[in-house]
Amino acid sequence: MLRIVETKNGRIEGQPAADPRITSFKGIPFAKPPVGDLRFHAPVPADKWEGTLQAYKFSPISVQPTPYYDPNDIYCREWSVDKDIPMSEDSLYLNVWTPAKAADEKLPVYVWIYGGGWQTGFTAEMEFDGERIARRGIVVVTMNYRLNMFGFLCHPEIAAENPDEPANFGLLDQRLAMQWVKDNIQAFGGDPDNITIGGQSAGGGSVLNHIAYGNKNKKGEVLFNRAVVLSGMFYAPDIPFFHQRNLKEAEQCGVDFFNFMGVKSLAEARKLDTQTLRKKWDEYGGHAKSIQTWIPIRDDLFIKQDFFDGMINNTITPVPLIVGHTTDEFLFKPQNAPADAEPIRPIQLAVEKYQELCEKNGSTAPNYYYVFDVPIPGWDNPGTFHSVDLWFWFETLAKCWRPFKGMQYDVARQMCNYLCNFIKNGNPNGKDCDDVALPEWKPYTTTEKDRIIFKESCKSVKR
């Protein structure tokens, strides 16, 4: 197995995963630590190192509220299981799982961006173990990126210091990690010309931002060929999910926060220790205010317009896409609607609108639409809540506390097979691990409206 690799930054040693045919490399730096003068600054590529980096464990998670356990909180029951997990501003590291035996295998690559409203989340969450996907002949990469105020705070001094990259540092972290993959994944047996990016929730929204910016870097290199957006594409003009500020508005939020903290300059803000900043973040309004304040903003550089405005203006080049949602997430009643009115489903509306605009703009990139409706067991009767499908896409059900049975494991295996087929060649169809053809998943079109329903089994339907 490929246990030691030689990257452009230096030599790295990994360890066997639970399946010894897979090697995991955890905690690989792709950027300099964003501390000191690099706090509230665009990421800078990591330096080279001497000797062999032992990539045996996950890096500290990005600064966020301390994970806690509350049995009455569904997300705590599901994922927040280690309140002592290390946390640090020095968190810009990524992880690789590879089944390669040699560096020249040119395996397809999947780059994953976690969600969490751009406020929370980390690669060490149990559901994001890349081993099951890697078993199917794919190199899997997951990366940390800066969150909340550390990733999205703006201020006039920040813009004056670095006018070309004054905002959206969390997204720029992701972009730099993608460039690292382009430059180095061949050492892990991956194909730098066959890369799929994927994300869920805010991770899916991040993927859309990268599609809107373009899949090429400034040198014209293609950073990704296709994309997966799980529960991350929204279209509901009458429901403002996230008001996207422009740079000046976001800078004023930064001025207000500096005043609240009692600092008079960017230099003073950079001298505060991490815990003081976290305490001030909490006093300022905590998560509820942060998710309305420190999120991606329209800086006219990395983000130039709303995603759907870009589609309407035909300034976005679509790529082949898997996109969809669970049945119970993000349901909204229309304003002043009667109690029995059908809820608005903004992700379904987004898929329909996106396909309409793709066809209008002449795009031939296929869009594969899914709906996740698998019965979810547990004493809490949770329904198909937001994010529960992650256990299935990564086929990591065995790590979950829920009493999943054979049916759920069968569906998870098929979902992971569809995903891996798509990662390999842009088409989810093909055979499963038993060499049996999967139920056909046709691309969604405005006339046919094909989609696949993941329920007690996988079934293709038309609306």
Side-chain angles (χ1 to χ4, degrees), residues 262-303:
V263 298
K264 297 179 180 179
S265 68
L266 176 60
E268 287 186 23
R270 284 173 169 160
K271 289 179 181 178
L272 295 176
D273 64 79
T274 305
Q275 293 309 314
T276 297
L277 275 173
R278 292 181 73 219
K279 183 173 183 293
K280 291 296 183 181
W281 176 93
D282 194 49
E283 293 172 354
Y284 191 61
H287 185 277
K289 189 166 185 176
S290 185
I291 202 168
Q292 296 296 328
T293 306
W294 293 311
I295 56 177
I297 65 106
R298 194 174 69 253
D299 59 358
D300 296 324
L301 293 165
F302 191 82
I303 298 179

Side-chain angles (χ1 to χ4, degrees), residues 307-319:
F307 181 80
F308 277 97
D309 287 343
M311 288 297 299
I312 291 169
N313 297 330
N314 199 15
T315 58
I316 292 174
T317 301
V319 297

